Amino acid sequence: MPEAPSPAAPTLSLPIAGMTCAACAGRVQRALGKVPGVEAATVNAASERAEVRGTAPLPALVAAVETAGYAVPEARVTLGIAGMTCATCVLRVTKALAAVPGVLGAEVNLATETASLRLLAGTPEEALAAALARAGYAVRAAATEDAAAASPGGRERRDLLLAALLTAPFLLGMLGMAFGRDWMPHPYVQLALAAPVQFWLGARFYRAGWAALRAGTGNMDLLVALGTSAAFGLSLWMLARHGAAAAHHLYFEASATVILFILLGKWLEARARRATGAAIRALLELRPRTARRLDAAGREEEVPAIALAVGDRVVVRPGERIPADGVVTEGRAGVDESALTGESRAVEKEPGATVATGTIALDGRLVIAARAVGQETVLARVAALVAAAQASRAPVQRLVDRVSAVFVPVVVGIAALTLLGWLLAGPGGEGSVEAAVLHAVAVLVIACPCALGLATPAAIMAGTGAAARAGILVRDAEAIERAQAITLVAFDKTGTLTEGRPRLAAVRAADGDAAAALRLAGALQAGSEHPLAGAV
């Protein structure tokens, strides 16, 4: 019987930078050919690409090219991911993206609902979207900052309010039980209240749980859907069999309140994300919206700051923010750089000195030659640093990923064993079935893995956001985790520890008339923007 043909090995197109001739192509081709798993490699110096067939891992190929003295151009992409709800989702999305040809690395953050990717230059984003779709997720369009600020509640707040209104009679009934009162609504009213919470406001859990099942795994939503559906279904069965007489054996309130509290958690999570993003928005708001540009004839014209280009000459008047990184060509002034450096004392600038976007010229007119604009400015890079720190993953999250990979199937298995154990150990009859189902439901509902995936990234977001608002920039999550071992902190200058608001403590006049001296000093400083003048 003839052997079945083996499947063809995958082929990867690798961009190569730095080749100048056929000798370069030959050197790269020989380097790639030595990598274990490479069946064939063809390098074209004209197109600056290498076609590699085989099963060699991408990092090994990149390392071989770099060892040969060349480079593999990379790109960095941040994708918004829709549909993630727990740490299991993070693991599944990471695996799906890492499996796409051309992806060098993927970091997925549940709290920000984003994925930060290192790609080979030219890797199509359509392949990333297709991989996410196969895993049960979708690429989410990034909301603008204005839209995010204008929509402080959105869907989470609406669903939470509706769930709270429908669940309020159940909560009142539970409160009455504490005082020995029967305030629970009529059984059919309970059904009418719980049904929209279960199947309308809770529909998201069914959709996400089904998507996880189709991908061959489970997540927190699957546990919520199974647990609340079991409680709702048991109550419906009891109501159908016994009617109003089953009033004290219904668990509609359990399914409704579980969904209510999970929606409350999602709303708090969304609010925390928006509050943390305010730190980045506050940094970017330091950029002035307009600038005074000098034309070829030396006339000033007011233009949008985003229209500035490298080489433009810009006029900054006293009290105005500097719209671009550059070099002072004319004028002298004290510049308040506290927003970027933390130094409260004004720094004197003269021709030849460098200035940064967002800092303030206090007491003089400056003409600046722009050297960096837009996303290339120091201010934009600082904002990007804060965003990267918020989205980074701490080393401790590797443990979370390993636990999350097996969490859902283990919990479902424990729930099944609980159901079976109560059925076998109980006295039999309808009461035993009810008790068995209730205990299995308790396992499913309580054991939600969302805290595993949210606790660390939410803490990192909150911590880096609070630090940024205080003027402290953190490099990444690993730095935060290692900070617990800090025993000594050294500051390079006292200016970073002051408030930046000098106060006049005492006046001593040579002739003894302190009041007159203060009036004269105040008159002299009245038109100045300098911090010391403000104190006088």
Side-chain angles (χ1 to χ4, degrees):
M1 183 175 178
E3 295 183 0
S6 59
T11 299
L12 177 67
S13 181
L14 203 65
I16 310 292
M19 295 189 298
T20 58
C21 61
C24 297
R27 191 154 56 244
V28 172
Q29 185 167 315
R30 287 191 296 273
L32 290 172
K34 294 177 182 178
V35 177
V38 172
E39 296 181 6
T42 304
V43 181
N44 189 313
S47 63
E48 295 186 321
R49 300 195 77 84
E51 302 296 325
V52 182
R53 188 175 77 248
T55 58
L58 181 57
L61 300 176
V62 173
V65 172
E66 292 175 347
T67 302
Y70 303 90
V72 177
E74 294 183 14
R76 291 186 177 270
V77 174
T78 299
L79 295 178
I81 310 296
M84 293 194 301
T85 58
C86 64
T88 307
C89 299
V90 172
L91 190 62
R92 191 159 68 248
V93 169
T94 303
K95 287 183 176 179
L97 292 174
V100 176
V103 173
L104 295 167
E107 288 190 355
V108 181
N109 191 289
L110 176 59
T112 58
E113 295 181 329
T114 58
S116 299
L117 305 173
R118 288 175 51 239
L119 312 168
L120 294 180
T123 301
E125 292 194 17
E126 293 79 4
L128 304 175
L132 287 173
R134 287 193 297 271
Y137 302 91
V139 176
R140 171 176 54 82
T144 63
E145 292 175 9
D146 294 339
S151 177
R155 177 191 174 191
E156 302 295 347
R157 182 172 61 181
R158 183 206 67 183
D159 287 0
L160 177 61
L161 289 175
L162 290 173
L165 289 174
L166 292 169
T167 311
F170 293 125
L171 299 175
L172 184 62
M174 295 177 190
L175 180 64
M177 292 171 61
F179 296 100
R181 303 282 183 159
D182 185 7
W183 294 344
M184 198 63 73
H186 188 276
Y188 289 102
V189 175
Q190 293 184 41
L191 173 61
L193 291 171
V197 176
Q198 182 73 39
F199 300 110
W200 176 35
L201 301 176
R204 62 170 71 184
F205 304 116
Y206 289 101
R207 287 194 294 267
W210 174 242
L213 280 178
R214 283 190 305 172
T217 183
N219 59 7
M220 182 267 287
D221 295 291
L222 181 61
L223 295 182
V224 174
L226 287 174
T228 58
S229 297
F232 189 92
L234 175 63
S235 301
L236 196 61
W237 180 74
M238 295 290 290
L239 183 60
R241 288 200 59 182
H242 303 288
H248 297 288
H249 300 278
L250 302 179
Y251 301 95
F252 288 122
E253 82 282 356
S255 65
T257 52
V258 164
I259 291 175
L260 169 66
F261 287 124
I262 292 176
L263 292 178
L264 173 62
K266 289 186 176 295
W267 176 74
L268 291 173
E269 174 197 340
R271 192 179 70 165
R273 283 199 300 267
R274 287 190 300 272
T276 307
I280 300 174
R281 290 195 295 273
L283 279 173
L284 295 178
E285 284 172 0
L286 295 176
R287 299 175 300 189
R289 297 185 181 277
T290 60
R292 290 185 174 86
R293 183 172 60 190
L294 291 177
D295 61 16
R299 294 187 298 267
E300 293 183 17
E301 56 175 348
E302 189 167 301
V303 298
I306 58 174
L308 293 177
V310 174
D312 285 347
R313 292 194 304 151
V314 182
V315 174
V316 182
R317 297 176 181 175
E320 292 183 343
R321 290 191 182 274
I322 295 172
D325 291 4
V327 177
V328 177
T329 59
E330 298 177 26
R332 286 176 171 80
V335 175
D336 179 1
E337 297 183 337
S338 58
L340 285 179
T341 66
E343 174 61 72
S344 58
R345 182 179 178 181
V347 180
E348 295 298 324
K349 300 292 184 179
E350 56 186 18
T354 59
V355 292
T357 304
T359 57
I360 305 172
L362 297 175
D363 53 3
R365 178 181 182 273
L366 298 175
V367 177
I368 298 165
R371 293 291 181 265
V373 296
Q375 298 303 312
E376 301 302 319
T377 63
V378 172
L379 181 65
R381 293 201 298 271
V382 168
L385 178 66
V386 175
Q390 290 179 350
S392 62
R393 292 170 61 79
V396 72
Q397 287 181 264
R398 287 193 288 268
L399 173 62
V400 172
D401 291 341
R402 289 197 296 270
V403 173
S404 299
V406 297
F407 191 92
V408 174
V410 167
V411 168
V412 173
I414 293 174
L417 289 175
T418 302
L419 177 66
L420 183 61
W422 276 87
L423 287 175
L424 295 176
E430 186 177 293
S432 294
V433 174
E434 180 182 339
V437 171
L438 284 177
H439 285 87
V441 168
V443 172
L444 291 173
V445 171
I446 292 173
C448 290
C450 50
L452 288 174
L454 282 176
T456 303
I460 290 170
M461 288 179 65
T464 52
R469 288 191 293 272
I472 302 170
L473 302 180
V474 182
R475 184 180 61 189
D476 53 29
E478 183 178 358
I480 297 177
E481 185 173 320
R482 295 173 60 189
Q484 63 177 333
I486 292 176
T487 57
L488 179 67
V489 178
F491 293 90
D492 65 338
K493 53 186 177 182
T494 58
T496 57
L497 304 180
T498 59
E499 295 182 352
R501 295 189 294 273
R503 180 174 58 87
L504 185 63
V507 177
R508 292 184 174 85
D511 59 2
D513 190 354
L518 186 60
R519 283 195 301 273
L520 291 172
L524 288 171
Q525 301 283 16
S528 174
E529 299 290 337
H530 197 280
L532 294 181
V536 174

mmCIF file of all heavy atoms in Angstrom, residues 422-429 432:
data_model
loop_
_atom_site.group_PDB
_atom_site.id
_atom_site.type_symbol
_atom_site.label_atom_id
_atom_site.label_comp_id
_atom_site.label_asym_id
_atom_site.label_seq_id
_atom_site.Cartn_x
_atom_site.Cartn_y
_atom_site.Cartn_z
ATOM 1 N N TRP A 422 -23.941 14.173 46.030
ATOM 2 C CA TRP A 422 -25.168 14.455 46.779
ATOM 3 C C TRP A 422 -26.302 13.515 46.363
ATOM 4 O O TRP A 422 -27.152 13.147 47.180
ATOM 5 C CB TRP A 422 -25.574 15.916 46.599
ATOM 6 C CG TRP A 422 -24.847 16.825 47.546
ATOM 7 C CD1 TRP A 422 -23.630 17.407 47.349
ATOM 8 C CD2 TRP A 422 -25.284 17.219 48.846
ATOM 9 N NE1 TRP A 422 -23.275 18.152 48.435
ATOM 10 C CE2 TRP A 422 -24.273 18.068 49.377
ATOM 11 C CE3 TRP A 422 -26.419 16.961 49.609
ATOM 12 C CZ2 TRP A 422 -24.373 18.636 50.643
ATOM 13 C CZ3 TRP A 422 -26.519 17.534 50.868
ATOM 14 C CH2 TRP A 422 -25.512 18.352 51.380
ATOM 15 N N LEU A 423 -26.312 13.163 45.078
ATOM 16 C CA LEU A 423 -27.357 12.227 44.642
ATOM 17 C C LEU A 423 -27.151 10.851 45.269
ATOM 18 O O LEU A 423 -28.109 10.167 45.654
ATOM 19 C CB LEU A 423 -27.350 12.114 43.118
ATOM 20 C CG LEU A 423 -27.893 13.323 42.338
ATOM 21 C CD1 LEU A 423 -27.707 13.115 40.841
ATOM 22 C CD2 LEU A 423 -29.374 13.568 42.656
ATOM 23 N N LEU A 424 -25.886 10.408 45.379
ATOM 24 C CA LEU A 424 -25.608 9.088 45.933
ATOM 25 C C LEU A 424 -25.724 9.059 47.456
ATOM 26 O O LEU A 424 -26.155 8.056 48.039
ATOM 27 C CB LEU A 424 -24.207 8.636 45.520
ATOM 28 C CG LEU A 424 -23.993 8.398 44.016
ATOM 29 C CD1 LEU A 424 -22.543 8.044 43.733
ATOM 30 C CD2 LEU A 424 -24.926 7.299 43.510
ATOM 31 N N ALA A 425 -25.339 10.151 48.100
ATOM 32 C CA ALA A 425 -25.325 10.161 49.565
ATOM 33 C C ALA A 425 -26.659 10.574 50.176
ATOM 34 O O ALA A 425 -26.884 10.345 51.361
ATOM 35 C CB ALA A 425 -24.226 11.095 50.064
ATOM 36 N N GLY A 426 -27.535 11.210 49.379
ATOM 37 C CA GLY A 426 -28.802 11.697 49.911
ATOM 38 C C GLY A 426 -29.788 10.573 50.154
ATOM 39 O O GLY A 426 -29.602 9.432 49.696
ATOM 40 N N PRO A 427 -30.889 10.899 50.862
ATOM 41 C CA PRO A 427 -31.899 9.877 51.160
ATOM 42 C C PRO A 427 -32.746 9.506 49.971
ATOM 43 O O PRO A 427 -33.564 8.587 50.048
ATOM 44 C CB PRO A 427 -32.750 10.553 52.248
ATOM 45 C CG PRO A 427 -32.601 12.018 51.975
ATOM 46 C CD PRO A 427 -31.212 12.190 51.468
ATOM 47 N N GLY A 428 -32.589 10.186 48.845
ATOM 48 C CA GLY A 428 -33.407 9.912 47.676
ATOM 49 C C GLY A 428 -34.630 10.807 47.634
ATOM 50 O O GLY A 428 -34.963 11.494 48.597
ATOM 51 N N GLY A 429 -35.307 10.798 46.501
ATOM 52 C CA GLY A 429 -36.506 11.608 46.358
ATOM 53 C C GLY A 429 -36.195 12.983 45.803
ATOM 54 O O GLY A 429 -35.056 13.329 45.483
ATOM 55 N N SER A 432 -33.588 15.318 47.581
ATOM 56 C CA SER A 432 -32.180 15.032 47.329
ATOM 57 C C SER A 432 -31.725 15.606 45.999
ATOM 58 O O SER A 432 -30.621 16.138 45.872
ATOM 59 C CB SER A 432 -31.950 13.519 47.349
ATOM 60 O OG SER A 432 -32.176 12.998 48.629
#
